[in-house]
Amino acid sequence: KFDFSQSSKNLSGQVPQPTVIEDPIGVQYFDSSVLTEDDKELSPINGYYITAKELEKDIDAVREQLKRLPAKTPVMIDLKSIYGNFFYSSAVSSNRNEDLDIAAMDELIRELCSGKYYAIGRLPALRDMLYGLNNVTDGLPVAAGYLWMDSEGCYWLNPKSDGTVTYLANIANELKNLGFDEVVFCDYCFPETDKIVFKDDKQKALADTAQTLINSCASDTFAVSFTV
């Protein structure tokens, strides 16, 4: 709390002294505009994240960026929206992102999964409006019986539902067959609300389903990961 009523009174204290630097710190600066194609990389790249916005804006630019990355660079790419629209030709669902060139996206995925990179597919797990709309029994209901919807108009799925588990397993196995090295299920949690009806232990439900997906989809060459 700042008490500005004290500002008119005389305050006592010590005048701050300049800091004495005994060992000067070196500063390096470079102008990226003068770099040429022959210049070596200034620092290693730890990873590259291709967002949905980048894909909608210019897929060709994304492909050009990929060509510049060192071999085995981890590359994570968004593959599905929170509304349930897939960004590629998925056999799991016919819902597609109409703002994307799906054919170009399929070609980008083939390049990404060619073996040059560590390919990571990222998609929402338990937040999926279209799947919840078409599979009400797999969603999280409120006391009145209809599905709970968040502020962005999305339904959330019940991690204990057999339909939900099968849906996520089918996606993971599809990505594995496409050549991805890892799938990251984001939004792997319960929504922060007290309006949904769920009588079981939430953390145990999440842990059990995660283990089921790992057992059925993961391998020595394919990782299954979860983030909140």
Side-chain angles (χ1 to χ4, degrees):
K1 177 179 178 181
F2 292 96
D3 188 353
F4 293 101
S5 64
Q6 302 294 323
S7 60
S8 61
K9 296 182 179 181
N10 295 324
L11 301 178
S12 61
Q14 295 181 345
V15 177
Q17 300 299 317
T19 302
V20 178
I21 301 178
E22 298 180 355
D23 298 319
I25 301 173
V27 176
Q28 296 180 342
Y29 169 81
F30 75 93
D31 184 353
S32 60
S33 64
V34 301
L35 296 180
T36 67
E37 293 294 332
D38 296 328
D39 286 325
K40 294 182 179 180
E41 294 180 73
L42 298 176
S43 62
I45 296 177
N46 293 323
Y48 183 49
Y49 175 28
I50 305 173
T51 67
K53 289 184 178 180
E54 289 178 290
L55 294 171
E56 293 175 359
K57 182 179 180 181
D58 194 341
I59 290 182
D60 291 335
V62 172
R63 293 176 66 179
E64 287 302 314
Q65 289 285 355
L66 279 182
K67 294 177 182 179
R68 301 179 182 181
L69 298 179
K72 301 304 179 182
T73 296
V75 180
M76 184 168 67
I77 183 171
D78 283 337
L79 295 177
K80 182 172 75 74
S81 73
I82 58 176
Y83 299 103
N85 293 311
F86 284 70
F87 300 166
Y88 65 99
S89 299
S90 172
V92 177
S93 172
S94 60
N95 300 318
R96 301 286 182 269
N97 184 332
E98 297 180 355
D99 295 326
L100 276 176
D101 183 339
I102 299 299
M105 186 67 182
D106 291 342
E107 180 60 30
L108 174 63
I109 289 177
R110 281 191 287 270
E111 294 178 13
L112 182 60
C113 298
S114 63
K116 178 181 178 182
Y117 316 99
Y118 182 84
I120 308 169
R122 178 182 181 274
L123 60 141
L126 301 179
R127 196 182 189 195
D128 192 310
M129 189 273 289
L130 288 174
Y131 183 86
L133 180 65
N134 297 318
N135 302 271
V136 177
T137 56
D138 295 332
L140 293 174
V142 297
Y146 54 84
L147 295 186
W148 181 84
M149 179 180 285
D150 65 20
S151 59
E152 295 188 70
C154 288
Y155 298 122
W156 286 67
L157 309 183
N158 182 350
K160 286 200 68 175
S161 168
D162 291 340
T164 297
V165 177
T166 299
Y167 177 57
L168 298 180
N170 287 341
I171 296 174
N173 284 320
E174 181 173 69
L175 298 186
K176 179 165 60 175
N177 293 333
L178 286 174
F180 279 90
D181 300 290
E182 182 174 349
V183 60
V184 173
F185 287 116
C186 59
D187 289 330
Y188 191 76
C189 57
F190 280 84
E192 295 184 358
T193 177
D194 57 359
K195 295 182 178 181
I196 62 172
V197 177
F198 190 83
K199 298 180 180 179
D200 298 316
D201 186 299
K202 293 181 179 179
Q203 293 306 314
K204 185 177 186 305
L206 292 170
D208 290 347
T209 295
Q211 191 61 58
T212 298
L213 292 171
I214 290 172
N215 293 342
S216 60
C217 305
S219 68
D220 291 340
T221 58
F222 184 75
V224 179
S225 303
F226 308 86
T227 68
V228 177

